[in-house]
Amino acid sequence: MRSCHCHKKHGLRRVVVTGGPGAGKTAVLELVRQAFCGHVHVLPESASILYGGGFPRGTDDASRRAAQRLIFEIQRELEILQEPTQPALVLCDRGTLDGLAYWPGHPDDLLEEMGTTRAEQLARYQAVIHLRTPDAEDGYDHVNRLRIESATEAARLDREILKIWHEHPRRHVVASRPDFLDKALEVVNLLLEELPPCCRPRPRASKLLRPVQARR
């Protein structure tokens, strides 16, 4: 985390970083956590909190619905917890609408059960950055122990999530790259534009990522 001399109270801005499994969201957000100042808050992924804590990952419809209701609620509460601190930017590892791609049955049933609408959830976020999932030939990653999807299933979920967020007025789609750092660089530059000038680090993203490149 970089130091920042800004002591202003900022208006709350939430940005979703989303995409299918294996798209690189967690890796990109870790780079951001190291490179940006403390006024940028990076939230953990709600599904990882749930499943990493031992919640059963059943495959029947009742289990899948229960999990998605809990993931939605965890995500919403994580975001609410940031409001009193007034950070410059809250980065969400997935947003509340991502669960629609995993919900068995009609996706809007999840929103109805949670007492909300698509329009209300879209309005929670000032921007959405969608990282596309690479296919098996281009480096789909199976390393994460909580990732159970095959490359084919990951690609399907990536397409579903792309459709779910397509109505957001400020959605950016970041294509897969042969070199992951090129993909990360595009995301970091998009995020820099979301920051107020007082919290925008200099130099720009290419130099922010240089220490990571040197370690490769």
Side-chain angles (χ1 to χ4, degrees):
M1 182 182 298
R2 289 174 178 254
S3 61
C4 177
H5 300 293
C6 171
H7 300 291
K8 295 181 180 178
K9 291 186 181 297
H10 300 90
L12 180 65
R13 293 180 62 78
R14 299 189 188 99
V15 174
V16 175
V17 179
T18 188
K25 300 180 298 299
T26 302
V28 168
L29 289 173
E30 182 56 35
L31 291 176
V32 169
R33 188 180 287 108
Q34 296 176 26
F36 283 39
C37 75
H39 296 127
V40 177
H41 294 189
V42 180
L43 301 187
E45 185 187 36
S46 299
S48 295
I49 292 173
L50 186 71
Y51 295 129
F55 189 84
R57 198 165 190 170
T59 56
D60 60 285
D61 286 356
S63 296
R64 292 168 62 195
R65 290 190 185 101
Q68 292 309 316
R69 286 192 294 267
L70 286 168
I71 289 168
F72 186 102
E73 198 59 60
I74 292 169
Q75 181 65 42
R76 186 159 57 183
E77 292 299 326
L78 282 172
E79 294 172 9
I80 291 171
L81 280 173
Q82 307 304 309
E83 293 177 3
T85 64
Q86 294 186 293
L89 195 63
V90 175
L91 299 183
C92 306
D93 190 340
R94 298 192 178 283
T96 51
L97 288 180
D98 277 56
L100 303 186
Y102 297 84
W103 182 262
H106 197 287
D108 285 344
D109 290 346
L110 172 59
L111 298 175
E112 183 176 351
E113 290 196 27
M114 303 311 296
T116 188
T117 64
R118 286 181 186 251
E120 184 176 334
Q121 295 310 305
L122 286 169
R124 290 181 67 82
Y125 307 103
Q126 278 63 55
V128 177
I129 300 176
H130 184 113
L131 282 66
R132 298 305 307 269
T133 296
D135 57 29
E137 289 74 26
D138 291 331
Y140 175 66
D141 176 20
H142 294 272
V143 171
N144 189 331
R145 65 182 180 85
L146 297 177
R147 186 176 302 134
I148 61 173
E149 298 86 0
S150 66
T152 299
E153 178 66 4
R156 184 192 69 77
L157 288 167
D158 185 58
R159 292 191 296 271
E160 289 297 318
I161 294 168
L162 197 65
K163 288 190 292 185
I164 285 164
W165 291 101
H166 83 280
E167 293 181 358
H168 197 283
R170 297 192 65 242
R171 185 188 65 167
H172 308 277
V173 179
V174 179
S176 291
R177 304 279 200 281
D179 187 334
F180 175 73
L181 284 177
D182 291 336
K183 187 178 186 180
L185 179 62
E186 182 176 350
V187 176
V188 170
N189 275 325
L190 288 169
L191 292 174
L192 285 171
E193 299 306 318
E194 299 296 329
L195 283 171
C198 56
C199 289
R200 199 172 293 166
R202 292 292 186 267
R204 299 284 285 184
S206 59
K207 292 185 180 179
L208 292 177
L209 296 182
R210 186 172 294 165
V212 179
Q213 293 171 315
R215 292 198 298 267
R216 296 187 74 209

